[in-house]
Amino acid sequence: MGRPAKFGEDRILDAALAVTAEGGPAAATIAAIAERLGAPSGSLYHRFGSRDLLLATLWTRCVRRFQDGFVAALEAGDAEAAALHTPRWCRGHPAEAAVLLLHRRRDLAAAWPADLAAPLEALNARAADALSAFARATSTDRDRVVFATVDVPYGAVRRHLLDRRPPPPEVDELIVTACRAVLAP
């Protein structure tokens, strides 16, 4: 039996998350991530094969973690909870929020790895399906649902994240007000 990996996938991704959140995608070199982790660069290449695969895996993990709560709120029929998921998640997960909401995936991975295309597509389809199902169930135009639960919350938190601070609680009140106004019959 072989010995367990000293630097597992989650530890490597956590180091990549910290480097990327602090310095942006350009700072997230294999050398910088390895230094943060205290590991040889070879350990990262052994686990991921390339910087693009490592950062694409990080992006996918951030998307999945964010969408879990968002999709659950929509599936429960609660548009306000879905809209409020964004600022609350940003406050609870500032590094992931910085990576996910301040950078596009193409900023992280110059060439998206083919083996991650299907998982990312499945994640995107999951959120899209939840938005469509909510719109059908409430007889609401899907674009209005997207605006109320995605666009408004994103716009409300982004400027705070750009200033490297969490969105204040007052943002929640504004998001709820906008959500109610947009989705009112």
Side-chain angles (χ1 to χ4, degrees), residues 26-43:
T29 64
I30 291 292
I33 296 165
E35 182 179 331
R36 172 64 63 103
L37 185 60
S41 296
S43 293

Side-chain angles (χ1 to χ4, degrees), residues 53-79:
L53 181 58
L54 192 162
L55 294 180
T57 303
L58 173 63
W59 175 264
T60 303
R61 184 179 83 166
C62 289
V63 169
R64 184 182 64 252
R65 288 179 173 181
F66 171 78
Q67 284 185 0
D68 284 345
F70 178 75
V71 169
L74 287 173
E75 288 174 346
D78 193 340

Side-chain angles (χ1 to χ4, degrees), residues 79-89 91 153 171-173 175-176:
E80 287 181 22
L84 288 171
H85 178 68
T86 298
R88 291 174 177 168
W89 188 80
R91 286 190 286 272
V171 165
D172 295 16
E173 294 173 39
I175 289 171
V176 167

Side-chain angles (χ1 to χ4, degrees), residues 5 11 26 40 42 84 89 106 114-115 117 126 139 144 160 174 177 185:
R11 284 190 63 202
L84 288 171
W89 188 80
R106 69 177 173 257
D115 54 339
R126 179 178 171 224
S139 300
R144 293 173 70 86
H160 301 286
L174 297 172
T177 300

